[in-house]
Amino acid sequence: MSYDATITKISADGSKLLYSTYYGGEKNDMITGITLNNGGFILQLKTDSDDLYVSENAYQKHENKQNNSYIAIFSDPSFMTTTPVIGNTGKEVLLNATLKESMGNRFLTNKTVKFYIGDKYIGSAKTDSNGVASLYYEVAEKGGEYVYKAVFEGDLGHEAIESINKLTIPQSELYVSLLSNKSNTKVGDYIKITYTITNYGPDTAENVIYTYKIPDGLKYVDSKVDVGKVTYDSLTRTITWIIGSVNIDDKFKLDLSMKATASDRYRLTPNLTTDTYDESASNLPNRYLTVKNQTNTNQIDSNIDKYSYYSSNSYMGGFQNSGSGSGYGNAMKVAGNPIALLILCLFTVFVGQIKRR
């Protein structure tokens, strides 16, 4: 008859059997001492067995034949899992790590788990009754993919462990193009500026909002969009266009109609925001509209219209108007002396008759 050592683990309050096994070889094995160790426990026993199992990395692979004593170090591997996380720059994300032990595969509660992004420590959390450590983190990284890591450093009875996963931060590239329906804008002109919003990706731009404050010297007339909702606040002179999501290669348009009321150089570039990380949206190139004063040509134009009947094809007293460039002056000379011309003709005829006598 032979007997083996028995290793049993129960809950802290003694109410549950968590783990139990035999440990020994062909012959007699008897435990003489046990103590907790970082990552497991140390077992001291006497044995007569030559085939007692030891792991490949054991410090002592055979018992001491002099006193049949044996020391065994048992490790209790820990298990930890994490999940991929997606979050936007400047917004909070929830990082979770679930921690279990191997013996009984139960959750480890009230254990400290540290979190890292790359090598940067960002905080720690305690595991709850389900072995879950949760950390809220405000994303400070730019768009792209990052490695985040959860680390349990181990304690008496439990080995250290870490779990690695991905933190993905979406990134978009918004661009605004402007097109005016009028060139050489002057005071009093009505103009329409068409704004086109495009996203070059690689990810969808979320919660995109366009705002533009109309400067003094330009008067708001109307605005129309092909997607979303646009409003105008007359007190702040601000247009707000709530676009929403803009997928890759989307092209959304806003037509803004205004009247130029003063000459100046006006900035037309709007403010564009999105929840998605986007360097281009916050660095839009400046676009301007130049408004000039009207030239003082109204009186000249009205005079030309008044005397337009003196054209290059009209005749007066046998003289043809020489054209639009000088016709106005010539026409006035001819039209202003008809009696003098008639007297001159009669005088020439009379003189000619005297000479022939």
Side-chain angles (χ1 to χ4, degrees):
M1 178 180 178
S2 63
Y3 50 86
D4 289 325
T6 302
I7 303 171
T8 301
K9 185 175 184 179
I10 61 175
S11 61
D13 61 4
S15 64
K16 293 180 181 179
L17 176 65
L18 302 178
Y19 174 85
S20 187
T21 187
Y22 287 109
Y23 179 67
E26 289 183 350
K27 299 180 182 179
N28 295 328
D29 306 285
M30 182 180 63
I31 294 176
T32 59
I34 186 171
T35 184
L36 290 177
N37 182 46
N38 194 35
F41 58 93
I42 300 173
L43 190 67
Q44 183 180 357
L45 52 81
K46 286 185 176 292
T47 180
D48 295 326
S49 300
D50 294 326
D51 62 343
L52 195 65
Y53 171 78
V54 294
S55 61
E56 290 297 324
N57 61 345
Y59 295 109
Q60 179 186 344
K61 293 184 180 296
H62 304 283
E63 76 277 11
N64 187 329
K65 291 296 184 180
Q66 293 180 355
N67 57 14
N68 293 337
S69 66
Y70 194 87
I71 295 178
I73 300 176
F74 288 80
S75 61
D76 183 6
S78 303
F79 295 92
M80 183 156 55
T81 56
T82 52
T83 55
V85 176
I86 299 176
N88 289 312
T89 303
K91 305 295 182 180
E92 278 192 340
V93 295
L94 182 60
L95 304 178
N96 288 323
T98 302
L99 184 63
K100 294 181 179 181
E101 66 168 7
S102 63
M103 290 187 177
N105 197 30
R106 72 183 184 94
F107 297 119
L108 291 178
T109 63
N110 201 34
K111 304 298 181 184
T112 299
V113 176
K114 295 180 178 181
F115 291 89
Y116 298 81
I117 294 182
D119 295 327
K120 182 180 73 173
Y121 172 73
I122 59 172
S124 64
K126 294 278 190 178
T127 56
D128 60 16
S129 59
N130 294 316
V132 179
S134 302
L135 177 71
Y136 284 97
Y137 169 65
E138 184 175 317
V139 178
E141 286 69 28
K142 298 179 178 180
E145 283 194 351
Y146 298 83
V147 172
Y148 85 90
K149 179 171 58 178
V151 177
F152 170 56
E153 295 180 339
D155 61 9
L156 289 177
H158 306 100
E159 280 190 329
I161 191 172
E162 65 180 42
S163 177
I164 295 175
N165 226 306
K166 289 194 303 184
L167 169 62
T168 302
I169 304 172
Q171 180 172 347
S172 60
E173 186 179 350
L174 292 171
Y175 180 77
V176 181
S177 63
L178 286 77
L179 181 65
S180 174
N181 71 331
K182 190 176 185 62
S183 61
N184 194 24
T185 306
K186 296 181 177 62
V187 174
D189 287 347
Y190 288 86
I191 56 173
K192 182 177 74 174
I193 307 297
T194 299
Y195 293 84
T196 302
I197 311 295
T198 306
N199 177 21
Y200 294 109
D203 300 302
T204 297
E206 302 288 352
N207 192 28
V208 179
I209 299 176
Y210 159 112
T211 56
Y212 175 61
K213 183 175 181 179
I214 296 179
D216 294 337
L218 296 177
K219 181 181 179 182
Y220 174 81
V221 176
D222 190 23
S223 57
K224 295 180 181 179
V225 295
D226 57 2
V227 69
K229 181 181 179 181
V230 62
T231 58
Y232 175 66
D233 187 333
S234 59
L235 295 178
T236 62
R237 300 173 57 85
T238 301
I239 297 172
T240 302
W241 177 21
I242 300 177
I243 304 171
S245 297
V246 181
N247 297 317
I248 300 173
D249 294 332
D250 279 346
K251 293 184 183 297
F252 297 144
K253 293 184 178 181
L254 178 149
D255 290 329
L256 172 59
S257 298
M258 298 178 290
K259 181 181 179 179
T261 59
S263 61
D264 207 338
R265 186 169 182 256
Y266 302 105
R267 185 174 181 268
L268 296 177
T269 304
N271 182 41
L272 206 60
T273 61
T274 172
D275 287 347
T276 307
Y277 179 78
D278 194 318
E279 290 184 343
S280 58
S282 57
N283 293 282
L284 295 175
N286 288 325
R287 297 290 184 266
Y288 294 90
L289 170 70
T290 300
V291 177
K292 298 179 180 179
N293 285 316
Q294 292 280 4
T295 55
N296 191 21
T297 58
N298 293 335
Q299 184 63 36
I300 296 176
D301 291 343
S302 63
N303 288 338
I304 291 175
D305 290 340
K306 182 177 179 180
Y307 295 99
S308 60
Y309 56 89
Y310 292 111
S311 66
S312 58
N313 295 321
S314 64
Y315 290 81
M316 187 63 159
F319 293 94
Q320 184 179 5
N321 192 330
S322 62
S324 59
S326 58
Y328 175 74
N330 292 335
M332 288 299 291
K333 290 178 182 178
V334 174
N337 299 280
I339 297 176
L341 288 174
L342 179 60
I343 294 173
L344 178 61
C345 290
L346 292 174
F347 179 77
T348 302
V349 173
F350 179 76
V351 171
Q353 292 176 347
I354 293 175
K355 285 184 179 181
R356 281 197 295 271
R357 293 177 182 178

